């Protein structure tokens, strides 16, 4: 039977949120299928495997984000965290052109956000330059890609380990 809006015995609106706590290094890349994101590390213009390479303080490292969409989408957001041993060369937020696509880049202490108001089908890359500033072993956070208004369209990278010696 139909109930009136004043009937308090039924839930009118609700949401369910789930959170899983796991070791970040165990997280593998994933995608919903429509979007994908990957991350590559480069030094001196050559790609390297971060888990098999030891960096030195003072090295310049480029992190390349490769973003793909199988259809035109509006309001895509990217968040990539960087380990504490990397300091971004450019720390200014602002609108940037990335291979013919425009997006707003917002720099933070431990992460970088990129917002696209419109993303046409295809692939784009965005390079972020860093200086290596500290020795030790660090875990690079995952990079996530998600449509702001359709969060079921999403993708993320796995986490990588970086080793830095003097």
């Amino acid at each position: 039977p139909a109930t009136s809006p004043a009937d308090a015995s039924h839930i009118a609106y609700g949401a369910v949120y789930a959170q899983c706590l796991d070791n970040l290094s165990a997280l593998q890349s994933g995608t919903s299928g429509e979007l994908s994101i990957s991350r590559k590390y480069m030094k001196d213009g050559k790609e390297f495997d971060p888990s098999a390479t030891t960096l030195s303080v003072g090295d310049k490292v480029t992190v390349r984000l490769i973003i793909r969409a199988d259809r035109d989408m509006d309001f895509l957001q990217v968040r990539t965290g960087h380990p504490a041993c990397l300091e971004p060369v450019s720390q200014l937020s602002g609108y940037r052109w990335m291979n013919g696509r425009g997006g707003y880049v917002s720099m933070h202490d431990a992460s970088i956000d990129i917002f696209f108001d419109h993303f046409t089908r295809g692939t784009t890359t965005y390079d972020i330059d860093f200086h290596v500033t500290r020795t030790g072993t660090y875990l690079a956070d995952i990079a996530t890609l998600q449509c702001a208004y359709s969060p079921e369209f999403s993708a993320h990278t796995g986490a990588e380990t970086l080793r830095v010696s003097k």
Side-chain angles (χ1 to χ4, degrees), residues 4 9 11 17-18 20 22 26 30 32 34 44 46 49-50 52 63 72 88 116 134 139 165:
S4 70
S9 65
I11 295 176
Y17 296 95
C20 176
D22 200 356
S32 64
E34 298 81 10
D44 300 325
K46 296 179 183 173
D49 179 9
V63 176
D72 294 353
F116 297 97
R134 295 177 187 80
L139 190 63
S165 67

Side-chain angles (χ1 to χ4, degrees), residues 5 16 32-33 38 41 49-50 62 64 76-78 80 113 130 132 158:
V16 176
S32 64
S38 60
Y41 290 85
D49 179 9
T62 301
R64 175 170 286 167
L76 288 184
Q77 50 195 21
V78 177
T80 180
D113 294 327
F130 293 94
V132 179

Side-chain angles (χ1 to χ4, degrees), residues 24-38:
L24 185 62
S25 61
L27 186 63
Q28 300 296 316
S29 61
T31 179
S32 64
E34 298 81 10
L35 298 172
S36 70
I37 187 169
S38 60

Side-chain angles (χ1 to χ4, degrees), residues 72-127:
D72 294 353
M73 290 193 182
D74 291 329
F75 305 109
L76 288 184
Q77 50 195 21
V78 177
R79 171 167 273 201
T80 180
H82 51 270
C85 64
L86 297 181
E87 187 70 28
V89 171
S90 173
Q91 298 183 2
L92 297 176
S93 298
Y95 201 83
R96 307 262 192 326
W97 286 101
M98 301 162 244
N99 298 10
R101 299 179 203 270
Y104 186 83
V105 178
S106 179
M107 305 297 284
H108 304 283
D109 288 339
S111 64
I112 298 171
D113 294 327
I114 306 169
F115 302 98
F116 297 97
D117 57 347
H118 183 71
F119 195 94
T120 55
R121 180 179 63 194
T123 302
T124 196
T125 60
Y126 181 61
D127 291 347

Side-chain angles (χ1 to χ4, degrees), residues 44-62:
D44 300 325
K46 296 179 183 173
E47 187 179 338
F48 69 90
D49 179 9
S51 62
T53 303
T54 300
L55 300 170
S56 299
V57 172
D59 285 347
K60 187 175 180 180
V61 175
T62 301

